[in-house]
Amino acid sequence: MPYVAETLVAQIDAESGSPETIALAGDIIRQGGLVAFPTETVYGLGANAFDAAAVSRIFEAKQRPANDPIIVHIAIPEDIFSIARDVPDIAAQLAQVFWPGPLTLILKKHDAIPSNVTANQDTVAVRIPDHPVALSLLRTAGVPIGAPSANRFSRPSPTRAEHVLTDLAGSIDVVLDSGSTPIGVESTIIDLTSPTPRLLRPGGTSLERLREYLPEIDYEPKYITDNQSAPAPGTLLKHYAPHAQVTLYDGERQATIEHMHAIAMTEIANGNKVGLLLSDEDIGHFEDLNVEIATLGDSESTTAARLYQALRELDATHVDVIFARAPHSTGLGLAIRDRLIRAAEGHVVTVE
Ligand code: TXA
Ligand code: MG
């Protein structure tokens, strides 16, 4: 059956959960196919995590480099023991508090996990997603599901089924469509195999909440360019990038808005088409300009939920440049800031 040339788009009914569709998707996973499915963060591109050939199809479909490891999704905390070994007590505690939810734990890898899942490292990333469709797919498939975000490598992550299709139609078997993903940025990743726990990627679970359980957790943001050799997984600077050049402006609000306004006027005068990513409260300051605006709403959670959609929306209007104002590095703001820095490939302007 699987590995079809045409991708099936299956709507999931919120009320019934569409059990027949989920059963079909579970079969496809068990037979080595690729199923894109919603999680609470972004859409994932799933394959049976125990099947090396199926996992290699994920890398092909996404055009993902083989040195970028994949997160294994499980249905219940006990499944951790078939994925990982030497699991520390703190992992069980964190699982109890944060799962299902947007927290990924890096643990020592179990031999049953094929080496392409973990990019040949002896550690593995694991989480239980908090989304009814993801959970029922995991239960029905009966195997752990390896799933990176369901976008083409280095494109913004997909928060809607249509984003998955834009990037991957024809390369995957099915997309389970249940509308927008609620959180909108990926899970927080923490490494529990290093002497001190390390935050590897800020995400849907805030650093402040993690500090309640891991007071000693370390975070050192890493942004690495393509031509530096052997970057650690997930530290590549160019990631989540739309086609237009993104610049991030960081500073006190009023001064930053005025600076962005002036630069936008210059770009327009130079014949460039300008796109702006703006919070509701900032929009009024740019209404006099002939620009494309994508709105991020009025809070951290609306900003996270709309960020990738907004980048794709602006890209679709063929803007030459995109400007955004950097959020604070607290709560979800830390993850939003990280994704914007990557989308901007490091073009961050500090406004005095
Ligand atoms: O929210 C999410 O985490 C989404 C949904 C689908 O679950 N998944 C996701 O996967 O964002 P992906 O592939 O786009 O990001 C996975 C990242 C890798 O790029 C790498 O940074 C990190 O997880 N990772 C995976 N395994 C690792 C390992 N063994 N050691 C260090 N980092 C690892
Ligand atoms: Mg990704």
Side-chain angles (χ1 to χ4, degrees):
M1 185 194 34
Y3 339 139
V4 281
E6 204 177 318
T7 300
L8 170 70
V9 184
Q11 309 289 329
I12 303 296
D13 181 62
E15 206 120 296
S16 72
S18 305
E20 284 167 15
T21 305
I22 298 289
L24 171 71
D27 283 344
I28 291 174
I29 291 278
R30 276 193 306 275
Q31 290 169 37
L34 300 184
V35 175
F37 61 96
T39 76
E40 79 281 33
T41 58
V42 300
Y43 276 76
L45 177 58
N48 179 354
F50 288 143
D51 179 345
V55 169
S56 74
R57 266 175 223 120
I58 293 180
F59 285 92
E60 277 161 36
K62 281 191 56 123
Q63 298 172 358
R64 180 180 176 103
N67 66 1
D68 195 357
I70 287 176
I71 297 172
V72 178
H73 298 68
I74 56 177
I76 52 170
E78 290 68 34
D79 289 345
I80 225 177
F81 299 104
S82 54
I83 309 299
R85 63 182 164 84
D86 305 336
V87 178
D89 291 347
I90 184 71
Q93 279 175 42
L94 293 169
Q96 196 175 11
V97 177
F98 292 101
W99 285 356
L103 179 66
T104 296
L105 305 179
I106 306 290
L107 300 165
K108 293 261 172 63
K109 169 187 173 302
H110 192 295
D111 287 345
I113 294 293
S115 58
N116 60 351
V117 171
T118 64
N120 282 318
Q121 306 191 70
D122 71 341
T123 57
V124 64
V126 188
R127 81 179 194 101
I128 302 185
D130 187 14
H131 192 290
V133 175
L135 288 170
S136 67
L137 176 64
L138 281 160
R139 282 188 217 109
T140 309
V143 290
I145 296 182
S149 50
N151 51 304
R152 211 166 275 273
F153 185 68
S154 90
R155 295 271 298 141
S157 291
T159 55
R160 299 181 180 186
E162 72 207 49
H163 302 161
V164 178
L165 289 169
T166 303
D167 285 10
L168 301 175
S171 320
I172 64 177
D173 295 289
V174 191
V175 184
L176 302 177
D177 180 358
S178 74
S180 300
T181 55
I183 296 179
V185 292
E186 300 86 341
S187 62
T188 300
I189 303 180
I190 58 176
D191 185 353
L192 298 178
T193 66
S194 48
T196 325
R198 281 186 309 150
L199 182 79
L200 299 184
R201 177 176 76 180
T205 300
S206 74
L207 183 54
E208 292 86 344
R209 283 224 58 212
L210 285 170
R211 284 223 165 93
E212 293 173 27
Y213 303 88
L214 294 170
E216 73 283 26
I217 191 166
D218 253 358
Y219 177 47
E220 218 183 294
K222 288 208 179 81
Y223 300 103
I224 295 180
T225 50
D226 272 327
N227 44 21
Q228 283 169 270
S229 60
T235 54
L236 258 194
L237 178 58
K238 182 180 169 158
H239 212 142
Y240 317 103
H243 299 294
Q245 169 67 62
V246 179
T247 306
L248 187 60
Y249 292 90
D250 193 15
E252 182 274 322
R253 176 170 178 256
Q254 195 57 39
T256 306
I257 287 173
E258 282 165 22
H259 189 78
M260 286 168 68
H261 189 279
I263 302 283
M265 283 183 60
T266 309
E267 290 284 351
I268 295 164
N270 290 338
N272 284 329
K273 194 166 171 191
V274 176
L276 301 175
L277 280 177
L278 295 175
S279 66
D280 288 353
E281 63 164 358
D282 287 0
I283 285 177
H285 297 272
F286 296 91
E287 271 167 349
D288 58 319
L289 296 178
N290 181 18
V291 291
E292 297 288 340
I293 292 179
T295 58
L296 298 171
D298 57 6
S299 68
E300 257 175 16
S301 55
T302 61
T303 300
R306 293 183 196 176
L307 181 64
Y308 291 136
Q309 157 70 18
L311 285 170
R312 283 177 182 260
E313 225 171 73
L314 287 180
D315 239 9
T317 66
H318 301 290
V319 290
D320 300 294
V321 293
I322 296 175
F323 299 162
R325 193 160 73 77
H328 294 294
S329 336
T330 50
L332 262 182
L334 189 65
I336 296 166
R337 206 182 158 92
D338 170 77
R339 304 310 189 268
L340 281 169
I341 291 172
R342 292 176 198 280
E345 297 174 54
H347 290 253
V348 183
V349 173
T350 305
V351 180
E352 300 298 336

